[in-house]
Amino acid sequence: MKNAIFRKLSAGPSQVPKYEQGIALVLSLMMGMVLISGVTGLLLRQLMARKLGASESYQQMAEAAALNGFNRILGDLNTNESTLYKGYLFTLDHHSGDESTAGSERWGWNASNEANFPLRELCTDRSQMPEAVPGSSSSSNPPYIALTESSSSQRDDGQENIQLHYRLRGYTTTATASNNGLGEGRFQVEGLVVRDGDDPKTGYLARTLLLRSLYVSSIVAGDGDWAVLAGQNLWLGDTQIQTRNGDDGDGKILLNVNSADYYLTGNGCINLLDDIHATDNTNLEGRVIPILEKGLPTGSLWNQGLTKDTEDGSDEIRIWSFDDTETFEQCTAIACSRDSNIEELTGRSDLQDNNENGATVRLSSNELCGGTGEDCHIFVEHINLSDTRLLIETSAERPIVLHLEYPNTTTKEPLETGITGSINLADGSQLCGVDAGSFECNEKPEQLVILSTVPKPARLSTCEISPQNEPYVLAFEGNSLPYATVHLIPGVVKTGPMATTLNGLIWADGICTNAGPFSLISETKANSSVVRDLNSQWGWEDQNFPGYGKMVTRGIRGTGLDTFRRW
C-alpha cells in the first residue's frame, strides 16, 4: 500500500492543458505590444518636445534679434556726435506708399530724397545716413543686417551655422516738421534666424516683428544753439555777436523763410551770409540757420501772472507816452499817461528829475502795477527821447514787460497828434532797468522785455521805415538801450550809424543793424548767458518750451508696451 502511494507521489508534473497555453501566448504578445507602444510614444514625445524646444528657441532668438536691431537703430539715431547728427530722421517716415505697387514706394531715409521730404531746418546735413539702416536711392526693400559673424553659430546642432539678422520694415511718425518735431514715432523691426548660406527672405528658421512706439522730442540742446538774432528780413552788415570782453560770443541766427525751393538747390546753403546781408562777416559765419515757416515764438513766454499796469483807483489799463522833443501840445511833461478808455494824456511831472545832463524819468515798482504781481505788463504808445534817461525798476520777483501795442481791450485813439506807436532812442538818451533806489542800469536783460504781439501788418517790413512814420519800430543807437530782451512779432529793430551795443537778444520781423557797427552781447554777469538767465527768470522749463534755435531731435522713451508678432 505504501509503495503504491509512493509511486503516485513521485510521478512527474502534471501536463498544462493546451487551451491554457494559447491564452499565455496571447497575453505575452499583448504585453509586448504595450511595451513597444509605450516606448514608441515616449520616443515620439521626446522627439516632439525637442522639436518644439528648438522651434521656441529659434523664436526667442528671433525676438532677441529684433530687440538688438532696434537698439542699434536707436543708438545710431541718438548719437551725440554733432558731426554725425541723424536725429532729423525721427521726423521723416521711413517708408510711405504701397510696396506691392511698383513706382509708389517712397523711402524717406535716403539722402537723395531731400526735395520730397523737406525739413524745417532746411540746411541740415542730410548726408549722414544710419549704418544700422543702410540707405539706398532705389525703392527696393531695405536689406537684412547681420547681427552675428558667419564663422560662429548661435546653436550647435551639427548642421550649418545659425545666424541672426534684423531689418527696419517701417517707421512712421507724428513728429513732423510742421509739428515742430514733437510727437510719436512707431518702429517695425523684423528679427530673423537663418542658417549660414540661406536666403533670409525664404530660408529662415524663425521670424518675428517687433512693434515699438517712442516719444520724439526736439529741443535746443545748448546755450550756443539758441537764436540770439531771429527774423524774416535780416540786414546785419557788420553785426558782431560777442562776449562781455569782446571775444566771439555764443548764439545762432534764425532766418525765417516761406519757401524751401531755393535751399534745396546745390548752392542754396553755401552763401548763407548773403541771405542776411552780411557778406564776408566772419563773426556770423556758421551761425545762420534758414528755417521754414516757423515764425517767432508767441508772447505767452512772458507770463508769470500777466499783471497789467493800471492807475490807482482805476480798473482800466494805463497807456504811457514819453517824449522830450516838445511834440505834444497838451501834455507838456516828458512822461504822460492815460487810461485806455480816455483820449486825453495827463502829464506826470512828478516822475521827472531835471539836471544839467538832461532829465531822468523814473518808474518805481510802487508806481507800476500798484506794486503787486509776479510780473508787470506796461503798455506804451509812444517813446521819443533825445537826452532823457527812462529808468524802470525791475527785479527777479517782478520783471517788466514793455508792450509796444495797445491792450486787448476797446482802446480809444489818443487826442494828441504825434503818437507814433514806435520807440526812438537817440544816443544821448537811455532806457534800462534799475534796481530799487538805484540810478545805474542793473545789467539784467532778462528783467526788461520789449514786446509786441498784435497781428503782423500786411505791408512788408523793410529797413526804409522810420519810427516817425511807422508803428512797431524800435530805433536806438549808441548806449541808449544797453540791456534788454526785444521780441517784436510785428516790428522792425533799427540801429544808427554810430557804434551801438545791446546786451540781450533780438527776435523781430525785421532787424536792420547794417547802418553802422553793432555789437550784440550774448553773455551776462557771472559767466552766464542771456538765454540761460531768461530760462531761469521766466520758468520756460515749466512751460515745456523747447527753445528757439538749432534743434536736436531725439527718441527718448517708450509710449506703450512692446508687441511681438510671429509668423
Side-chain angles (χ1 to χ4, degrees):
M1 185 68 179
K2 290 182 179 179
N3 290 335
I5 295 173
F6 176 77
R7 286 193 300 269
K8 184 176 181 180
L9 292 174
S10 61
S14 60
Q15 298 294 320
V16 179
K18 291 183 177 181
Y19 71 89
E20 291 183 2
Q21 294 179 1
I23 292 174
L25 179 60
V26 172
L27 291 175
S28 298
L29 292 174
M30 292 179 65
M31 182 60 69
M33 291 179 63
V34 169
L35 292 174
I36 292 173
S37 299
V39 171
T40 302
L42 182 61
L43 179 61
L44 291 175
R45 182 177 179 181
Q46 292 296 324
L47 293 174
M48 182 62 68
R50 182 176 180 181
K51 183 176 181 180
L52 291 174
S55 176
E56 183 62 27
S57 176
Y58 292 148
Q59 195 63 54
Q60 291 178 4
M61 292 165 67
E63 293 178 2
L67 281 171
N68 266 287
F70 170 79
N71 289 332
R72 285 194 178 189
I73 295 170
L74 188 62
D76 204 353
L77 297 184
N78 277 341
T79 179
N80 288 325
E81 182 61 45
S82 59
T83 59
L84 300 176
Y85 174 66
K86 304 163 189 173
Y88 68 90
L89 295 171
F90 281 114
T91 66
L92 301 176
D93 288 345
H94 179 254
H95 172 266
S96 62
D98 184 4
E99 294 183 42
S100 61
T101 303
S104 70
E105 304 91 341
R106 298 177 68 214
W107 300 95
W109 288 11
N110 285 319
S112 61
N113 285 334
E114 293 190 18
N116 292 331
F117 296 86
L119 302 175
R120 176 145 278 177
E121 294 182 15
L122 297 171
C123 291
T124 300
D125 180 8
R126 299 178 65 171
S127 64
Q128 300 293 337
M129 290 286 108
E131 297 179 2
V133 186
S136 172
S137 59
S138 68
S139 59
S140 59
N141 289 338
Y144 290 95
I145 313 301
L147 280 167
T148 53
E149 299 290 339
S150 59
S151 58
S152 62
S153 180
Q154 298 301 296
R155 181 170 182 166
D156 187 8
D157 58 1
Q159 301 184 53
E160 294 295 330
N161 290 345
I162 294 176
Q163 307 299 317
L164 303 183
H165 293 257
Y166 76 91
R167 72 165 175 167
L168 178 63
R169 286 181 59 92
Y171 171 79
T172 59
T173 182
T174 61
T176 59
S178 60
N179 200 31
N180 293 317
L182 300 174
E184 183 184 53
R186 299 182 181 89
F187 285 89
Q188 296 184 6
V189 181
E190 184 178 339
L192 292 99
V193 180
V194 299
R195 292 198 181 276
D196 190 22
D198 289 346
D199 184 357
K201 296 181 180 180
T202 58
Y204 54 84
L205 297 173
R207 182 170 65 162
T208 191
L209 185 66
L210 168 64
L211 306 178
R212 176 177 286 194
S213 298
L214 285 181
Y215 178 67
V216 178
S217 175
S218 297
I219 62 171
V220 180
D223 293 358
D225 295 322
W226 278 75
V228 293
L229 292 169
Q232 184 171 354
N233 303 287
L234 304 182
W235 295 71
L236 301 186
D238 193 35
T239 294
Q240 306 284 298
I241 298 175
Q242 298 179 332
T243 62
R244 290 168 66 89
N245 61 10
D247 295 333
D248 288 350
D250 291 333
K252 293 291 190 293
I253 302 170
L254 285 195
L255 175 62
N256 291 311
V257 299
N258 295 324
S259 173
D261 295 343
Y262 171 71
Y263 296 97
L264 298 179
T265 62
N267 296 324
C269 293
I270 295 178
N271 300 318
L272 294 176
L273 289 178
D274 293 343
D275 298 343
I276 61 171
H277 305 90
T279 305
D280 299 328
N281 187 334
T282 57
N283 177 271
L284 302 186
E285 192 170 6
R287 301 179 188 266
V288 184
I289 303 174
I291 193 161
L292 180 63
E293 295 180 339
K294 186 177 181 68
L296 299 174
T298 66
S300 61
L301 295 178
W302 319 107
N303 184 357
Q304 291 187 176
L306 204 60
T307 305
K308 298 179 181 180
D309 180 46
T310 59
E311 185 95 32
D312 286 344
S314 174
D315 294 331
E316 297 293 330
I317 297 174
R318 179 165 47 179
I319 301 174
W320 291 88
S321 293
F322 304 91
D323 198 308
D324 63 2
T325 63
E326 299 181 356
T327 299
F328 301 146
E329 296 179 358
Q330 297 183 8
C331 182
T332 58
I334 295 177
C336 306
S337 68
R338 65 186 180 95
D339 285 353
S340 58
N341 64 338
I342 297 176
E343 299 173 342
E344 298 83 6
L345 289 172
T346 300
R348 294 297 308 272
S349 299
D350 57 311
L351 304 175
Q352 180 177 328
D353 181 21
N354 297 319
N355 54 62
E356 65 277 7
N357 297 322
T360 298
V361 174
R362 182 185 185 87
L363 301 180
S364 68
S365 58
N366 291 330
E367 172 68 36
L368 300 174
C369 295
T372 62
E374 296 180 358
D375 57 13
C376 182
H377 292 254
I378 307 170
F379 292 83
V380 299
E381 58 185 350
H382 176 85
I383 299 179
N384 183 30
L385 301 176
S386 59
D387 59 1
T388 299
R389 297 187 72 205
L390 175 56
L391 307 181
I392 305 175
E393 287 190 0
T394 69
S395 66
E397 292 72 28
R398 201 182 70 163
I400 298 296
V401 180
L402 200 65
H403 289 257
L404 187 57
E405 59 191 353
Y406 288 125
N408 295 325
T409 60
T410 303
T411 302
K412 290 190 175 183
E413 291 293 327
L415 185 62
E416 286 277 13
T417 59
I419 298 293
T420 61
S422 292
I423 298 175
N424 184 39
L425 302 172
D427 179 44
S429 66
Q430 192 170 70
L431 167 62
C432 70
V434 296
D435 295 334
S438 173
F439 284 84
E440 299 296 327
C441 299
N442 57 19
E443 303 183 23
K444 298 174 181 177
E446 72 278 7
Q447 294 181 10
L448 179 61
V449 179
I450 301 176
L451 174 68
S452 67
T453 61
V454 296
K456 180 180 176 180
R459 62 179 176 80
L460 178 66
S461 298
T462 68
C463 293
E464 302 301 323
I465 64 176
S466 70
Q468 286 77 28
N469 54 32
E470 293 286 351
Y472 313 120
V473 178
L474 168 61
F476 65 100
E477 58 183 355
N479 197 40
S480 58
L481 187 65
Y483 307 96
T485 298
V486 180
H487 185 188
L488 302 180
I489 295 178
V492 175
V493 176
K494 297 188 64 174
T495 57
M498 66 171 50
T500 303
T501 301
L502 169 65
N503 187 182
L505 60 78
I506 302 175
W507 298 339
D509 183 48
I511 302 176
C512 307
T513 56
N514 59 328
F518 174 67
S519 296
L520 181 75
I521 312 301
S522 60
E523 182 186 39
T524 56
K525 290 182 176 180
N527 296 322
S528 185
S529 66
V530 172
V531 295
R532 189 183 308 169
D533 290 354
L534 285 169
N535 268 289
S536 176
Q537 175 66 63
W538 295 95
W540 285 345
E541 290 185 3
D542 296 335
Q543 300 181 43
N544 295 320
F545 180 48
Y548 190 63
K550 184 178 181 180
M551 307 293 285
V552 174
T553 303
R554 292 286 185 261
I556 59 176
R557 64 175 180 269
T559 59
L561 298 176
D562 290 349
T563 302
F564 288 99
R565 293 180 180 176
R566 300 179 177 181
W567 74 98

